[in-house]
Amino acid sequence: MTDRRSDDVQHDPAAGVAAIAVPTREALEAHLAPYAAHSAQSRGRRYPEAAPSARTEFQRDRDRIVHSTAFRRLEYKTQVFVNHEGDLFRTRLTHSLEVAQIARSVARNLRVNEDLVEAISLAHDLGHTPFGHAGQDALNECMREHGGFEHNLQSLAVVDDLEEHYGAFNGLNLCFETREGILKHCSRDNARRLGALGERFLEGRQPSIEAQIANVADEIAYNNHDVDDGLRSGLLTVEQLAEIELWQTHFEASRRDFPQIEGRRLIHETVRRIINTLVVDLIDTTRENIARHAPASLEAVRAAPALVAHSDAIAAQAAALKRFLFKNLYRHYRVMRMANKARRVVIGLFDAFTEDPRLLPPDYQSTDVTQQPRLIAHYIAGMTDRYAVKEYQRLFVIDDN
Ligand code: MG
C-alpha cells in the first residue's frame, strides 16, 4: 500500500537512494509572476502537437532553435567584423549567446519566463544575411521590387518555413509567444499579411515582457561587445571613448579600484561594469514600471505601455554610446571597405541568379517567375560569410584548375 507521499518521492530499494520526483510542467513555472508568459497558457503552435513530457513548451522551442541548421550557421556570420578578420571577434552566434545570458538574468529577477527569453534571444538573429547590416541592406535593395528584405521577417521565415527538420511540418513550429518575440519590428503592410502575429503592430500593443527583455538585452549586448571588439581591432581607442560618460565613469572607477591593471584587462573590467550597470538599471526601472501599472496577466502587459525600460538618465547615456559607435566604428573607413565588398558579393550573386536561375541549386529554382526572387533571397540570406564568398568565386572567378 503506497500513500500519496511515496508517489512523489519514490524509493528504489535496489539502489537504496530516493529517486528525484518528476515535477509537473505547471511546477516548472510555479515561481513565475502573473504578468509572465506561462507556457500552459500559450496561444499555441501553428500545427497542434501533443504537450512535451519532460519540459515546458518554451523549453521545447529553445531546444528546437539550438538544434536548427540556421543556429549553427550563426557561427560564421558577421556581427561587425567579418569572420576571417580574427578569431576573437563576436560572431552572430556569440552575440546571440550574450543576448540570452543578459536576458535570462533580467527575466529571473523579474520572475518572468527565462525559457521564453532564452528561446527568443537565441533565435532573434537567425534571419541575418552574411556580412551583417551591409549584407541585409544590399539584399533589401535587390528585393525592392519584390517586397523587400528585412532580417526580422527572415528570422520568422526560418523558424516558420525554411528549416526542414521535422516529418510533420516545415519550420520549427514554435509557439506564438516565441514567434511574436522574434518579430521585433514589422511594417504595417507586412503586419496585415501576418494575421494574429501582426495585429500588435496595427493596434499599437506591446509584446510579452519576455520579448521586451530580449529586445533591450540585444542592445546592451551589442553596444558593449562592439566597444570591446572596436578596441581590440584598434579601430577605436580608449582616448576617443573618454567623451562618453557611460564609458569614462566606469573606466575611471576601474583604474581607481585596480591601479595595477592595464590593457585588455582594464578594458574588460570597464565593460563588465557597464553591462552590470545597464542590467541592474533595467531590472530596477522595469520593476518600478510593473509596480505602477500592476499588470495582472500577459494580456494586461500587451495593453500597457512598454514596461521594460531603462531610467531616463541611463537611457541617455546608452544612447550617447550608441551614437558614438555608429559614427566611429560602424562608419570607420575599414569597416566601410569591408561593407563595400560585402555589398558587391550580395548584389553580384543576386543579379547572376536572377539573370539565369539555372545557376541556382535545384531547391531554389522555381517555375513561377513571381516566386523566384524570394527564393534567391532565401538562398543568399542563408549563406555564411565564407560560403557567400566561395559561391561568388564559383560564379565569377575563372582559375586554372
Ligand atoms: Mg542581435
Side-chain angles (χ1 to χ4, degrees):
M1 191 68 190
T2 55
D3 64 23
R4 184 74 197 89
R5 284 178 56 196
S6 61
D7 268 342
D8 290 346
V9 182
Q10 288 169 355
H11 211 74
D12 177 359
V17 291
I20 298 167
V22 178
T24 61
R25 289 189 298 131
E26 287 70 25
L28 290 172
E29 294 187 346
H31 62 292
L32 298 182
Y35 47 79
H38 295 253
S39 64
Q41 292 156 18
S42 168
R43 288 173 68 174
R45 302 176 187 276
R46 295 207 299 168
Y47 307 98
E49 290 184 68
S53 55
R55 44 190 179 158
T56 70
E57 299 284 0
F58 298 141
Q59 284 179 307
R60 172 149 76 178
D61 281 6
R62 187 263 329 273
D63 299 348
R64 286 183 178 182
I65 291 158
V66 170
H67 288 283
S68 71
T69 307
F71 186 71
R72 285 194 298 283
R73 288 190 184 126
L74 295 177
E75 184 175 3
Y76 296 102
K77 289 197 179 204
T78 293
Q79 183 68 28
V80 172
F81 296 90
V82 177
N83 191 268
H84 66 247
E85 291 180 289
D87 291 346
L88 293 177
F89 296 123
R90 267 65 171 192
T91 66
R92 289 264 164 219
L93 180 63
T94 61
H95 162 70
S96 300
L97 295 174
E98 289 182 32
V99 174
Q101 178 273 315
I102 290 167
R104 286 182 57 189
S105 293
V106 176
R108 186 177 290 208
N109 274 278
L110 297 172
R111 290 203 298 131
V112 300
N113 205 312
E114 227 177 302
D115 300 315
L116 178 58
V117 291
E118 189 178 17
I120 296 169
S121 302
L122 295 178
H124 85 285
D125 272 352
L126 288 179
H128 255 291
T129 60
F131 312 121
H133 283 279
Q136 125 126 7
D137 291 348
L139 196 51
N140 187 30
E141 210 177 299
C142 295
M143 288 293 287
R144 185 164 292 153
E145 304 294 309
H146 315 287
F149 179 89
E150 212 281 309
H151 73 85
N152 272 295
L153 274 177
Q154 190 67 15
S155 297
L156 194 65
V158 167
V159 301
D160 279 357
D161 295 311
L162 299 179
E163 283 284 320
E164 296 178 335
H165 270 245
Y166 301 94
F169 43 77
N170 280 343
L172 307 179
N173 198 30
L174 303 181
C175 292
F176 179 91
E177 294 73 16
T178 309
R179 298 168 62 231
E180 166 192 66
I182 291 171
L183 193 65
K184 205 159 54 175
H185 317 287
C186 182
S187 69
R188 292 184 73 82
D189 276 355
N190 284 324
R192 277 186 211 100
R193 216 169 37 74
L194 286 167
L197 206 61
E199 273 167 18
R200 74 179 169 93
F201 298 98
L202 303 171
E203 295 167 359
R205 286 155 65 86
Q206 302 300 324
S208 66
I209 289 188
E210 288 82 353
Q212 296 180 41
I213 290 172
N215 190 3
V216 183
D218 185 20
E219 283 204 23
I220 294 176
Y222 68 66
N223 280 332
N224 283 284
H225 64 51
D226 289 352
V227 166
D228 186 35
D229 282 352
L231 290 168
R232 184 186 306 279
S233 65
L235 303 193
L236 296 180
T237 63
V238 166
E239 291 70 29
Q240 272 178 304
L241 275 157
E243 65 177 82
I244 300 302
E245 187 183 358
L246 191 57
W247 168 269
Q248 199 57 20
T249 306
H250 294 290
F251 185 68
E252 280 167 11
S254 301
R255 273 204 301 208
R256 194 181 53 237
D257 291 348
F258 302 103
Q260 77 286 5
I261 68 169
E262 54 186 15
R264 292 296 319 162
R265 192 161 174 177
L266 179 55
I267 291 166
H268 285 313
E269 177 64 28
T270 306
V271 170
R272 77 146 196 96
R273 286 172 186 235
I274 298 174
I275 295 175
N276 190 58
T277 299
L278 292 169
V279 168
V280 170
D281 175 80
L282 187 67
I283 293 168
D284 290 347
T285 312
T286 304
R287 209 175 257 146
E288 286 164 22
N289 291 343
I290 289 171
R292 189 170 329 119
H293 293 277
S297 65
L298 173 52
E299 277 318 301
V301 168
R302 296 184 197 281
L307 296 172
V308 178
H310 284 300
S311 63
D312 290 346
I314 289 293
Q317 289 190 28
L321 174 60
K322 198 171 169 172
R323 282 195 301 274
F324 172 90
L325 285 169
F326 196 84
K327 179 166 160 242
N328 297 290
L329 183 61
Y330 311 141
R331 290 281 170 267
H332 191 284
Y333 83 96
R334 276 171 52 199
V335 173
M336 293 305 290
R337 282 183 184 186
M338 203 59 215
N340 182 52
K341 273 195 264 188
R343 204 182 129 72
R344 277 168 195 271
V345 170
V346 169
I347 294 176
L349 290 174
F350 190 91
D351 288 349
F353 293 137
T354 302
E355 206 170 298
D356 189 351
R358 291 173 305 177
L359 301 176
L360 284 160
D363 280 359
Y364 294 94
Q365 294 181 21
S366 174
T367 47
D368 178 351
V369 288
T370 64
Q371 292 301 311
Q372 191 61 73
R374 185 58 61 188
L375 287 179
I376 296 172
H378 286 330
Y379 183 45
I380 295 175
M383 294 178 183
T384 60
D385 297 354
R386 58 187 189 174
Y387 185 93
V389 169
K390 270 192 200 143
E391 189 73 337
Y392 186 86
Q393 288 167 344
R394 282 192 283 264
L395 287 173
F396 296 107
V397 178
I398 298 165
D399 52 24
D400 45 6
N401 49 39

